[in-house]
Structure formats: C-alpha cells, structure tokens
C-alpha cells in the first residue's frame, strides 16, 4: 500500500510540475478524452479484467490464470482473423496449435497417485547419539600397529 501511495504522489507531482513535452498539445489535460463512451468502456473493461484475475488467483492458482490468458489469446487471434481482416500467417496458426495442444495435455493429465499410508512406510530403528552399552563386548577392537 505504501508503494502504491508513493507511486501516486510521484506521478501527481510529475504531472503538475513538469511541462508537457508535446508542445502542439500542451493545453491537453489529464482527463482529456474521457468524455467519449468508448474510452470509459475501455477503462471499465480493464477494471473488470483486474477483478476477474484477482478472483482467479483467490479461488484457483497461477497455472489456471496462465491457461485462461493463453486461451483468450487464441480466441482473439481467431476472431481477429475472421472478423477484423487480420492476415493470418503460418506462425500464428502454429502458435494456436501449440497452445491448444498444451492446454489439452494439461487438462487431460491424471493426478499423481496419493502417497502411501504412513503405517506402511519402513521405519529405521536407529537411535542417533546413544551409545550402546549391551554390545560393548562385541565391539571391534582398535587397530594399533
């Protein structure tokens, strides 16, 4: 929270104190252009994406988020090539195939076998740090030459 607050203050000071490097649009303000409904829609969509990612991290894991992002990219590539005149290349289709195959492999994989019951595991009967008193007579003699 402190890091975010510091970033807000630093950017606010830079915005207020530093001149606009683009002299042709020096009179433009920070919120210029936000009266357009499309701009507000983009901000709203990004806010919803952030909330969705937070929910995925809370209720699932990072792998699920990465798979969702990859599937989203594949869908956007296909939709863009069909409806928005994107010229697809062989590289694009190879990428789509690799992502689809990777998602298939991950979702089709079986869970690993559960560990054996603790009662079935072998137990070592060594006691560390305890000298044996009953086997003193069977101890190996020292080799002195």
């Amino acid at each position: 929270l402190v890091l975010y607050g510091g970033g807000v203050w630093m950017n606010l000071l830079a915005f207020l104190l530093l001149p606009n490097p683009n002299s042709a649009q020096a009179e433009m303000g920070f919120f210029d252009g936000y009266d357009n409904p499309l701009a507000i829609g983009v901000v709203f969509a990004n806010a919803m994406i952030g909330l969705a990612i937070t929910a995925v991290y809370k209720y699932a894991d990072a792998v699920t988020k990465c798979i969702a992002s990859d599937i989203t990219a594949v869908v956007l590539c296909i939709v863009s090539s069909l409806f928005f005149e994107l010229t697809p290349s062989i590289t694009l289709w190879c990428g789509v195939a690799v992502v689809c195959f990777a998602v298939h492999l991950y979702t089709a994989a079986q869970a690993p076998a559960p560990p054996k019951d603790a009662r079935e595991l072998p137990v070592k009967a060594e006691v560390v740090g305890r000298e044996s008193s009953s086997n003193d007579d069977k101890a190996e003699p020292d080799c002195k030459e």
Side-chain angles (χ1 to χ4, degrees):
L1 192 58
V2 173
L3 186 63
Y4 286 119
V8 166
W9 283 109
M10 295 285 284
N11 284 302
L12 187 62
L13 286 174
F15 174 72
L16 293 175
L17 299 178
L18 296 176
N20 189 348
N22 190 355
S23 60
Q25 298 175 346
E27 69 276 350
M28 284 183 66
F30 182 73
F31 292 106
D32 192 48
Y34 283 99
D35 55 347
N36 187 349
L38 292 176
I40 294 171
V42 168
V43 171
F44 180 75
N46 282 326
M48 293 298 109
I49 289 170
L51 291 174
I53 289 172
T54 303
V56 167
Y57 278 140
K58 183 176 181 180
Y59 297 110
D61 59 354
V63 175
T64 305
K65 188 256 179 199
C66 288
I67 288 175
S69 297
D70 294 341
I71 292 173
T72 302
V74 165
V75 169
L76 287 175
C77 287
I78 293 171
V79 167
S80 295
S81 66
L82 292 176
F83 297 112
F84 300 117
E85 299 176 6
L86 174 72
T87 305
S89 64
I90 190 70
T91 308
L92 180 120
W93 294 118
C94 287
V96 166
V98 166
V99 168
C100 291
F101 186 62
V103 169
H104 168 70
L105 287 178
Y106 181 77
T107 56
Q110 293 181 356
K116 293 183 178 181
D117 190 19
R119 291 173 286 184
E120 296 176 8
L121 294 175
V123 178
K124 285 190 173 183
E126 292 182 23
V127 178
V128 178
R130 184 174 172 192
E131 296 180 16
S132 96
S133 58
S134 61
N135 293 334
D136 284 342
D137 55 334
K138 297 178 186 176
E140 296 181 25
D142 290 339
C143 296
K144 293 182 182 178
E145 294 182 22

